[in-house]
Amino acid sequence: YGEYNNSEHNGYDKPKYEHDTYDTLNYEHDTYNEPHHATYNEPHHDTYDNPKHEHDTYEKPKYEQAPEHDTYGKLKYNQNEEHSNGNPKYDDSEYQPPTSDKQHVPALHDEPDPLDQMAPYLEPPSNSPAYHSYHSTICKQAVLDGIAAELKQAKVIPDILPTTFVPEFELSITFDGLRRPIDMGQLLSINDTHEEPIIEFDAPPGNMFTVAIVDIDSPSNSRHGYRSYRHFLMSNLGLYDDHCGEKLTAYRAPQPSFASGAHRLAVVVLKQTAYVGFTPQDVPHSRVRFDAVKWGARYHMTPVAASYFMVQRKHVMDSV
């Protein structure tokens, strides 16, 4: 900082030096108040609002207004006539709007909406009445598919039902001693099946049905010489609201022997085309070897619903 001069000392706060002062710095190339480089307010380079470049401007190039319907035809331009910025000049002197004889190019709003085309396959909104109907139909079809799969797994199809059988509705089977509907394929004892079951189903109105209960594994699950044994047969169900049908064969409880294993008892519902006035001669006298589907076909009946349960004598002393 130079040599310190005692004679020029001016107080404790502001010492005096030979070549410098506290307030102002005097250097050769720069000062504190006026730097040599550009300031923040006036930059040397270009800015967005006020460009300073020598060979360029920020003004937007000026084009002539294009025709109103320039998307339908081909616009020609003259390469010899150009603007000052180098862009070609449009020449719409030969432009003609499309007529009815020419092919019309559809606009975007004329094209079909893909969502509208997929509407029949989409799930309806949850707040609409169709939503509950949609899910009800889906769930019902899933249940019916499950019934058909269980019947095939238990070989009820094709033992007594054709391979083309498709269930149309569910069956509910309830025995008096169990107090609740049984599950498909549930194993029961001969004491559980002592009383005639209650068979319920939700069928379309205006139709009549015949219900049969047959033992597929008679006399045993290894020998089927008596297939099928008829335990119950009732026809003309649904003729009237208060009509319970006409019983053709009274219910007989299953009585499999102890060594015969578990028997499959199937409940088959046949749809009638009309009322049938059966007589005792129309039903075979013997209960054994009764083919319910084949017998119903003679009267133009077709199977529309089915279920099954298992019955086994669990103890030697079991009896009805």
Side-chain angles (χ1 to χ4, degrees), residues 289-318:
R289 299 185 180 92
F290 177 75
D291 191 337
V293 176
K294 187 177 181 180
W295 174 83
R298 288 161 40 184
Y299 303 97
H300 309 286
M301 302 182 191
T302 54
V304 292
S307 184
Y308 83 100
F309 56 93
M310 309 285 289
V311 178
Q312 182 179 11
R313 185 186 292 269
K314 299 180 180 180
H315 304 282
V316 178
M317 300 304 295
D318 286 346

PDB file of all heavy atoms in Angstrom, residues 289-318:
ATOM      1  N   ARG A 289     -83.630 -98.046 -15.114  1.00  0.00           N
ATOM      2  CA  ARG A 289     -83.267 -97.783 -16.504  1.00  0.00           C
ATOM      3  C   ARG A 289     -84.201 -96.741 -17.147  1.00  0.00           C
ATOM      4  O   ARG A 289     -84.687 -96.916 -18.268  1.00  0.00           O
ATOM      5  CB  ARG A 289     -83.273 -99.079 -17.324  1.00  0.00           C
ATOM      6  CG  ARG A 289     -82.295-100.126 -16.833  1.00  0.00           C
ATOM      7  CD  ARG A 289     -82.269-101.330 -17.759  1.00  0.00           C
ATOM      8  NE  ARG A 289     -81.330-102.336 -17.290  1.00  0.00           N
ATOM      9  CZ  ARG A 289     -81.674-103.345 -16.492  1.00  0.00           C
ATOM     10  NH1 ARG A 289     -82.925-103.475 -16.079  1.00  0.00           N
ATOM     11  NH2 ARG A 289     -80.762-104.231 -16.112  1.00  0.00           N
ATOM     12  N   PHE A 290     -84.387 -95.650 -16.426  1.00  0.00           N
ATOM     13  CA  PHE A 290     -85.239 -94.560 -16.932  1.00  0.00           C
ATOM     14  C   PHE A 290     -84.340 -93.454 -17.466  1.00  0.00           C
ATOM     15  O   PHE A 290     -83.576 -92.837 -16.709  1.00  0.00           O
ATOM     16  CB  PHE A 290     -86.148 -94.032 -15.822  1.00  0.00           C
ATOM     17  CG  PHE A 290     -87.000 -92.867 -16.237  1.00  0.00           C
ATOM     18  CD1 PHE A 290     -88.112 -93.064 -17.042  1.00  0.00           C
ATOM     19  CD2 PHE A 290     -86.693 -91.572 -15.828  1.00  0.00           C
ATOM     20  CE1 PHE A 290     -88.905 -91.988 -17.431  1.00  0.00           C
ATOM     21  CE2 PHE A 290     -87.486 -90.496 -16.209  1.00  0.00           C
ATOM     22  CZ  PHE A 290     -88.589 -90.708 -17.014  1.00  0.00           C
ATOM     23  N   ASP A 291     -84.432 -93.196 -18.761  1.00  0.00           N
ATOM     24  CA  ASP A 291     -83.677 -92.121 -19.409  1.00  0.00           C
ATOM     25  C   ASP A 291     -84.598 -90.909 -19.515  1.00  0.00           C
ATOM     26  O   ASP A 291     -85.480 -90.848 -20.384  1.00  0.00           O
ATOM     27  CB  ASP A 291     -83.187 -92.561 -20.794  1.00  0.00           C
ATOM     28  CG  ASP A 291     -82.174 -91.589 -21.391  1.00  0.00           C
ATOM     29  OD1 ASP A 291     -82.172 -90.411 -20.983  1.00  0.00           O
ATOM     30  OD2 ASP A 291     -81.383 -92.015 -22.260  1.00  0.00           O
ATOM     31  N   ALA A 292     -84.403 -89.927 -18.626  1.00  0.00           N
ATOM     32  CA  ALA A 292     -85.311 -88.782 -18.572  1.00  0.00           C
ATOM     33  C   ALA A 292     -85.255 -87.954 -19.842  1.00  0.00           C
ATOM     34  O   ALA A 292     -86.307 -87.505 -20.344  1.00  0.00           O
ATOM     35  CB  ALA A 292     -84.970 -87.915 -17.358  1.00  0.00           C
ATOM     36  N   VAL A 293     -84.071 -87.727 -20.404  1.00  0.00           N
ATOM     37  CA  VAL A 293     -83.941 -86.898 -21.603  1.00  0.00           C
ATOM     38  C   VAL A 293     -84.576 -87.596 -22.808  1.00  0.00           C
ATOM     39  O   VAL A 293     -85.302 -86.975 -23.597  1.00  0.00           O
ATOM     40  CB  VAL A 293     -82.461 -86.572 -21.862  1.00  0.00           C
ATOM     41  CG1 VAL A 293     -82.296 -85.792 -23.169  1.00  0.00           C
ATOM     42  CG2 VAL A 293     -81.879 -85.771 -20.703  1.00  0.00           C
ATOM     43  N   LYS A 294     -84.316 -88.887 -22.939  1.00  0.00           N
ATOM     44  CA  LYS A 294     -84.883 -89.626 -24.059  1.00  0.00           C
ATOM     45  C   LYS A 294     -86.405 -89.734 -23.928  1.00  0.00           C
ATOM     46  O   LYS A 294     -87.140 -89.629 -24.923  1.00  0.00           O
ATOM     47  CB  LYS A 294     -84.246 -91.008 -24.121  1.00  0.00           C
ATOM     48  CG  LYS A 294     -84.641 -91.810 -25.337  1.00  0.00           C
ATOM     49  CD  LYS A 294     -83.900 -93.135 -25.367  1.00  0.00           C
ATOM     50  CE  LYS A 294     -84.281 -93.944 -26.596  1.00  0.00           C
ATOM     51  NZ  LYS A 294     -83.565 -95.251 -26.627  1.00  0.00           N
ATOM     52  N   TRP A 295     -86.892 -89.946 -22.711  1.00  0.00           N
ATOM     53  CA  TRP A 295     -88.336 -90.006 -22.498  1.00  0.00           C
ATOM     54  C   TRP A 295     -88.993 -88.658 -22.794  1.00  0.00           C
ATOM     55  O   TRP A 295     -90.054 -88.583 -23.411  1.00  0.00           O
ATOM     56  CB  TRP A 295     -88.629 -90.435 -21.059  1.00  0.00           C
ATOM     57  CG  TRP A 295     -90.082 -90.392 -20.695  1.00  0.00           C
ATOM     58  CD1 TRP A 295     -91.022 -91.344 -20.952  1.00  0.00           C
ATOM     59  CD2 TRP A 295     -90.747 -89.319 -20.008  1.00  0.00           C
ATOM     60  NE1 TRP A 295     -92.261 -90.947 -20.474  1.00  0.00           N
ATOM     61  CE2 TRP A 295     -92.109 -89.703 -19.886  1.00  0.00           C
ATOM     62  CE3 TRP A 295     -90.340 -88.102 -19.490  1.00  0.00           C
ATOM     63  CZ2 TRP A 295     -93.059 -88.899 -19.262  1.00  0.00           C
ATOM     64  CZ3 TRP A 295     -91.277 -87.298 -18.880  1.00  0.00           C
ATOM     65  CH2 TRP A 295     -92.622 -87.692 -18.760  1.00  0.00           C
ATOM     66  N   GLY A 296     -88.374 -87.574 -22.363  1.00  0.00           N
ATOM     67  CA  GLY A 296     -88.939 -86.259 -22.631  1.00  0.00           C
ATOM     68  C   GLY A 296     -88.936 -85.879 -24.097  1.00  0.00           C
ATOM     69  O   GLY A 296     -89.805 -85.126 -24.551  1.00  0.00           O
ATOM     70  N   ALA A 297     -87.959 -86.368 -24.860  1.00  0.00           N
ATOM     71  CA  ALA A 297     -87.906 -86.051 -26.286  1.00  0.00           C
ATOM     72  C   ALA A 297     -89.115 -86.602 -27.029  1.00  0.00           C
ATOM     73  O   ALA A 297     -89.512 -86.057 -28.073  1.00  0.00           O
ATOM     74  CB  ALA A 297     -86.617 -86.588 -26.886  1.00  0.00           C
ATOM     75  N   ARG A 298     -89.725 -87.668 -26.526  1.00  0.00           N
ATOM     76  CA  ARG A 298     -90.928 -88.212 -27.161  1.00  0.00           C
ATOM     77  C   ARG A 298     -92.087 -87.233 -27.092  1.00  0.00           C
ATOM     78  O   ARG A 298     -92.996 -87.273 -27.920  1.00  0.00           O
ATOM     79  CB  ARG A 298     -91.316 -89.535 -26.492  1.00  0.00           C
ATOM     80  CG  ARG A 298     -90.362 -90.662 -26.846  1.00  0.00           C
ATOM     81  CD  ARG A 298     -90.443 -91.825 -25.869  1.00  0.00           C
ATOM     82  NE  ARG A 298     -91.823 -92.135 -25.455  1.00  0.00           N
ATOM     83  CZ  ARG A 298     -92.113 -93.055 -24.545  1.00  0.00           C
ATOM     84  NH1 ARG A 298     -91.128 -93.756 -23.967  1.00  0.00           N
ATOM     85  NH2 ARG A 298     -93.360 -93.282 -24.207  1.00  0.00           N
ATOM     86  N   TYR A 299     -92.051 -86.321 -26.106  1.00  0.00           N
ATOM     87  CA  TYR A 299     -93.101 -85.316 -25.937  1.00  0.00           C
ATOM     88  C   TYR A 299     -92.578 -83.899 -26.227  1.00  0.00           C
ATOM     89  O   TYR A 299     -93.129 -82.921 -25.718  1.00  0.00           O
ATOM     90  CB  TYR A 299     -93.674 -85.402 -24.526  1.00  0.00           C
ATOM     91  CG  TYR A 299     -94.206 -86.773 -24.192  1.00  0.00           C
ATOM     92  CD1 TYR A 299     -93.419 -87.689 -23.489  1.00  0.00           C
ATOM     93  CD2 TYR A 299     -95.478 -87.161 -24.587  1.00  0.00           C
ATOM     94  CE1 TYR A 299     -93.892 -88.952 -23.183  1.00  0.00           C
ATOM     95  CE2 TYR A 299     -95.973 -88.433 -24.281  1.00  0.00           C
ATOM     96  CZ  TYR A 299     -95.173 -89.319 -23.589  1.00  0.00           C
ATOM     97  OH  TYR A 299     -95.645 -90.586 -23.293  1.00  0.00           O
ATOM     98  N   HIS A 300     -91.509 -83.839 -27.031  1.00  0.00           N
ATOM     99  CA  HIS A 300     -90.932 -82.568 -27.495  1.00  0.00           C
ATOM    100  C   HIS A 300     -90.421 -81.729 -26.323  1.00  0.00           C
ATOM    101  O   HIS A 300     -90.599 -80.500 -26.299  1.00  0.00           O
ATOM    102  CB  HIS A 300     -91.949 -81.774 -28.316  1.00  0.00           C
ATOM    103  CG  HIS A 300     -92.592 -82.562 -29.423  1.00  0.00           C
ATOM    104  ND1 HIS A 300     -91.923 -82.897 -30.579  1.00  0.00           N
ATOM    105  CD2 HIS A 300     -93.847 -83.102 -29.525  1.00  0.00           C
ATOM    106  CE1 HIS A 300     -92.730 -83.596 -31.360  1.00  0.00           C
ATOM    107  NE2 HIS A 300     -93.909 -83.743 -30.746  1.00  0.00           N
ATOM    108  N   MET A 301     -89.804 -82.371 -25.372  1.00  0.00           N
ATOM    109  CA  MET A 301     -89.182 -81.670 -24.248  1.00  0.00           C
ATOM    110  C   MET A 301     -87.671 -81.611 -24.442  1.00  0.00           C
ATOM    111  O   MET A 301     -87.071 -82.528 -25.023  1.00  0.00           O
ATOM    112  CB  MET A 301     -89.490 -82.373 -22.924  1.00  0.00           C
ATOM    113  CG  MET A 301     -90.953 -82.519 -22.595  1.00  0.00           C
ATOM    114  SD  MET A 301     -91.164 -83.312 -20.984  1.00  0.00           S
ATOM    115  CE  MET A 301     -92.924 -83.656 -20.988  1.00  0.00           C
ATOM    116  N   THR A 302     -87.068 -80.563 -23.925  1.00  0.00           N
ATOM    117  CA  THR A 302     -85.608 -80.399 -23.987  1.00  0.00           C
ATOM    118  C   THR A 302     -85.098 -80.016 -22.605  1.00  0.00           C
ATOM    119  O   THR A 302     -85.751 -79.245 -21.884  1.00  0.00           O
ATOM    120  CB  THR A 302     -85.224 -79.299 -24.992  1.00  0.00           C
ATOM    121  OG1 THR A 302     -85.910 -78.090 -24.667  1.00  0.00           O
ATOM    122  CG2 THR A 302     -85.584 -79.713 -26.409  1.00  0.00           C
ATOM    123  N   PRO A 303     -83.925 -80.498 -22.186  1.00  0.00           N
ATOM    124  CA  PRO A 303     -83.374 -80.125 -20.874  1.00  0.00           C
ATOM    125  C   PRO A 303     -82.871 -78.686 -20.885  1.00  0.00           C
ATOM    126  O   PRO A 303     -82.161 -78.262 -21.795  1.00  0.00           O
ATOM    127  CB  PRO A 303     -82.234 -81.124 -20.674  1.00  0.00           C
ATOM    128  CG  PRO A 303     -81.835 -81.526 -22.058  1.00  0.00           C
ATOM    129  CD  PRO A 303     -83.085 -81.488 -22.890  1.00  0.00           C
ATOM    130  N   VAL A 304     -83.249 -77.931 -19.839  1.00  0.00           N
ATOM    131  CA  VAL A 304     -82.863 -76.516 -19.752  1.00  0.00           C
ATOM    132  C   VAL A 304     -82.165 -76.191 -18.439  1.00  0.00           C
ATOM    133  O   VAL A 304     -81.601 -75.094 -18.297  1.00  0.00           O
ATOM    134  CB  VAL A 304     -84.082 -75.595 -19.931  1.00  0.00           C
ATOM    135  CG1 VAL A 304     -84.613 -75.676 -21.357  1.00  0.00           C
ATOM    136  CG2 VAL A 304     -85.177 -75.946 -18.925  1.00  0.00           C
ATOM    137  N   ALA A 305     -82.194 -77.099 -17.462  1.00  0.00           N
ATOM    138  CA  ALA A 305     -81.526 -76.853 -16.181  1.00  0.00           C
ATOM    139  C   ALA A 305     -81.234 -78.196 -15.527  1.00  0.00           C
ATOM    140  O   ALA A 305     -81.948 -79.186 -15.757  1.00  0.00           O
ATOM    141  CB  ALA A 305     -82.371 -75.987 -15.257  1.00  0.00           C
ATOM    142  N   ALA A 306     -80.182 -78.227 -14.701  1.00  0.00           N
ATOM    143  CA  ALA A 306     -79.801 -79.466 -14.030  1.00  0.00           C
ATOM    144  C   ALA A 306     -78.894 -79.155 -12.854  1.00  0.00           C
ATOM    145  O   ALA A 306     -78.218 -78.114 -12.811  1.00  0.00           O
ATOM    146  CB  ALA A 306     -79.099 -80.429 -15.004  1.00  0.00           C
ATOM    147  N   SER A 307     -78.894 -80.075 -11.911  1.00  0.00           N
ATOM    148  CA  SER A 307     -78.004 -80.021 -10.765  1.00  0.00           C
ATOM    149  C   SER A 307     -77.851 -81.455 -10.242  1.00  0.00           C
ATOM    150  O   SER A 307     -78.519 -82.380 -10.730  1.00  0.00           O
ATOM    151  CB  SER A 307     -78.541 -79.093  -9.678  1.00  0.00           C
ATOM    152  OG  SER A 307     -77.622 -78.980  -8.604  1.00  0.00           O
ATOM    153  N   TYR A 308     -76.983 -81.635  -9.252  1.00  0.00           N
ATOM    154  CA  TYR A 308     -76.809 -82.969  -8.694  1.00  0.00           C
ATOM    155  C   TYR A 308     -76.295 -82.861  -7.267  1.00  0.00           C
ATOM    156  O   TYR A 308     -75.739 -81.839  -6.854  1.00  0.00           O
ATOM    157  CB  TYR A 308     -75.854 -83.811  -9.553  1.00  0.00           C
ATOM    158  CG  TYR A 308     -74.389 -83.580  -9.279  1.00  0.00           C
ATOM    159  CD1 TYR A 308     -73.663 -84.473  -8.484  1.00  0.00           C
ATOM    160  CD2 TYR A 308     -73.725 -82.464  -9.781  1.00  0.00           C
ATOM    161  CE1 TYR A 308     -72.329 -84.268  -8.209  1.00  0.00           C
ATOM    162  CE2 TYR A 308     -72.398 -82.249  -9.523  1.00  0.00           C
ATOM    163  CZ  TYR A 308     -71.693 -83.153  -8.732  1.00  0.00           C
ATOM    164  OH  TYR A 308     -70.373 -82.936  -8.461  1.00  0.00           O
ATOM    165  N   PHE A 309     -76.488 -83.921  -6.508  1.00  0.00           N
ATOM    166  CA  PHE A 309     -75.938 -84.053  -5.167  1.00  0.00           C
ATOM    167  C   PHE A 309     -75.562 -85.509  -4.949  1.00  0.00           C
ATOM    168  O   PHE A 309     -75.975 -86.405  -5.698  1.00  0.00           O
ATOM    169  CB  PHE A 309     -76.933 -83.555  -4.100  1.00  0.00           C
ATOM    170  CG  PHE A 309     -78.275 -84.228  -4.147  1.00  0.00           C
ATOM    171  CD1 PHE A 309     -78.542 -85.353  -3.373  1.00  0.00           C
ATOM    172  CD2 PHE A 309     -79.293 -83.727  -4.955  1.00  0.00           C
ATOM    173  CE1 PHE A 309     -79.777 -85.977  -3.412  1.00  0.00           C
ATOM    174  CE2 PHE A 309     -80.533 -84.343  -4.998  1.00  0.00           C
ATOM    175  CZ  PHE A 309     -80.778 -85.463  -4.229  1.00  0.00           C
ATOM    176  N   MET A 310     -74.767 -85.745  -3.919  1.00  0.00           N
ATOM    177  CA  MET A 310     -74.265 -87.095  -3.628  1.00  0.00           C
ATOM    178  C   MET A 310     -74.975 -87.645  -2.392  1.00  0.00           C
ATOM    179  O   MET A 310     -75.218 -86.908  -1.433  1.00  0.00           O
ATOM    180  CB  MET A 310     -72.756 -87.061  -3.384  1.00  0.00           C
ATOM    181  CG  MET A 310     -71.960 -86.342  -4.475  1.00  0.00           C
ATOM    182  SD  MET A 310     -71.798 -87.288  -5.977  1.00  0.00           S
ATOM    183  CE  MET A 310     -70.673 -88.575  -5.437  1.00  0.00           C
ATOM    184  N   VAL A 311     -75.296 -88.940  -2.425  1.00  0.00           N
ATOM    185  CA  VAL A 311     -75.926 -89.623  -1.291  1.00  0.00           C
ATOM    186  C   VAL A 311     -75.126 -90.888  -1.009  1.00  0.00           C
ATOM    187  O   VAL A 311     -74.830 -91.666  -1.918  1.00  0.00           O
ATOM    188  CB  VAL A 311     -77.401 -89.972  -1.577  1.00  0.00           C
ATOM    189  CG1 VAL A 311     -77.998 -90.725  -0.390  1.00  0.00           C
ATOM    190  CG2 VAL A 311     -78.196 -88.718  -1.865  1.00  0.00           C
ATOM    191  N   GLN A 312     -74.794 -91.087   0.273  1.00  0.00           N
ATOM    192  CA  GLN A 312     -74.003 -92.255   0.672  1.00  0.00           C
ATOM    193  C   GLN A 312     -74.486 -92.747   2.036  1.00  0.00           C
ATOM    194  O   GLN A 312     -74.800 -91.936   2.920  1.00  0.00           O
ATOM    195  CB  GLN A 312     -72.512 -91.899   0.726  1.00  0.00           C
ATOM    196  CG  GLN A 312     -71.615 -93.075   1.080  1.00  0.00           C
ATOM    197  CD  GLN A 312     -70.146 -92.699   1.092  1.00  0.00           C
ATOM    198  OE1 GLN A 312     -69.807 -91.493   1.026  1.00  0.00           O
ATOM    199  NE2 GLN A 312     -69.276 -93.684   1.158  1.00  0.00           N
ATOM    200  N   ARG A 313     -74.544 -94.061   2.176  1.00  0.00           N
ATOM    201  CA  ARG A 313     -74.845 -94.645   3.484  1.00  0.00           C
ATOM    202  C   ARG A 313     -73.548 -94.660   4.272  1.00  0.00           C
ATOM    203  O   ARG A 313     -72.638 -95.457   4.017  1.00  0.00           O
ATOM    204  CB  ARG A 313     -75.398 -96.070   3.314  1.00  0.00           C
ATOM    205  CG  ARG A 313     -75.861 -96.696   4.636  1.00  0.00           C
ATOM    206  CD  ARG A 313     -76.248 -98.157   4.425  1.00  0.00           C
ATOM    207  NE  ARG A 313     -77.437 -98.259   3.607  1.00  0.00           N
ATOM    208  CZ  ARG A 313     -78.677 -98.305   4.071  1.00  0.00           C
ATOM    209  NH1 ARG A 313     -78.880 -98.230   5.383  1.00  0.00           N
ATOM    210  NH2 ARG A 313     -79.703 -98.420   3.271  1.00  0.00           N
ATOM    211  N   LYS A 314     -73.468 -93.788   5.266  1.00  0.00           N
ATOM    212  CA  LYS A 314     -72.227 -93.628   6.013  1.00  0.00           C
ATOM    213  C   LYS A 314     -72.064 -94.692   7.097  1.00  0.00           C
ATOM    214  O   LYS A 314     -70.946 -94.975   7.508  1.00  0.00           O
ATOM    215  CB  LYS A 314     -72.165 -92.224   6.622  1.00  0.00           C
ATOM    216  CG  LYS A 314     -72.189 -91.108   5.578  1.00  0.00           C
ATOM    217  CD  LYS A 314     -72.122 -89.735   6.214  1.00  0.00           C
ATOM    218  CE  LYS A 314     -72.153 -88.642   5.167  1.00  0.00           C
ATOM    219  NZ  LYS A 314     -72.081 -87.291   5.757  1.00  0.00           N
ATOM    220  N   HIS A 315     -73.176 -95.223   7.582  1.00  0.00           N
ATOM    221  CA  HIS A 315     -73.113 -96.261   8.620  1.00  0.00           C
ATOM    222  C   HIS A 315     -74.044 -97.396   8.220  1.00  0.00           C
ATOM    223  O   HIS A 315     -75.048 -97.202   7.515  1.00  0.00           O
ATOM    224  CB  HIS A 315     -73.506 -95.707   9.993  1.00  0.00           C
ATOM    225  CG  HIS A 315     -72.685 -94.528  10.421  1.00  0.00           C
ATOM    226  ND1 HIS A 315     -71.413 -94.682  10.910  1.00  0.00           N
ATOM    227  CD2 HIS A 315     -72.952 -93.201  10.415  1.00  0.00           C
ATOM    228  CE1 HIS A 315     -70.923 -93.480  11.209  1.00  0.00           C
ATOM    229  NE2 HIS A 315     -71.834 -92.576  10.912  1.00  0.00           N
ATOM    230  N   VAL A 316     -73.707 -98.570   8.711  1.00  0.00           N
ATOM    231  CA  VAL A 316     -74.506 -99.742   8.374  1.00  0.00           C
ATOM    232  C   VAL A 316     -75.916 -99.607   8.900  1.00  0.00           C
ATOM    233  O   VAL A 316     -76.899-100.050   8.282  1.00  0.00           O
ATOM    234  CB  VAL A 316     -73.834-101.022   8.911  1.00  0.00           C
ATOM    235  CG1 VAL A 316     -74.670-102.264   8.613  1.00  0.00           C
ATOM    236  CG2 VAL A 316     -72.434-101.174   8.342  1.00  0.00           C
ATOM    237  N   MET A 317     -76.078 -98.964  10.034  1.00  0.00           N
ATOM    238  CA  MET A 317     -77.377 -98.861  10.689  1.00  0.00           C
ATOM    239  C   MET A 317     -78.217 -97.684  10.185  1.00  0.00           C
ATOM    240  O   MET A 317     -79.325 -97.479  10.677  1.00  0.00           O
ATOM    241  CB  MET A 317     -77.196 -98.740  12.200  1.00  0.00           C
ATOM    242  CG  MET A 317     -76.479 -99.933  12.831  1.00  0.00           C
ATOM    243  SD  MET A 317     -77.295-101.509  12.463  1.00  0.00           S
ATOM    244  CE  MET A 317     -78.847-101.263  13.328  1.00  0.00           C
ATOM    245  N   ASP A 318     -77.706 -96.925   9.231  1.00  0.00           N
ATOM    246  CA  ASP A 318     -78.501 -95.818   8.680  1.00  0.00           C
ATOM    247  C   ASP A 318     -79.713 -96.372   7.971  1.00  0.00           C
ATOM    248  O   ASP A 318     -79.642 -97.348   7.199  1.00  0.00           O
ATOM    249  CB  ASP A 318     -77.669 -95.005   7.695  1.00  0.00           C
ATOM    250  CG  ASP A 318     -76.634 -94.141   8.397  1.00  0.00           C
ATOM    251  OD1 ASP A 318     -76.757 -93.984   9.619  1.00  0.00           O
ATOM    252  OD2 ASP A 318     -75.726 -93.641   7.728  1.00  0.00           O
TER     253      ASP A 318
END
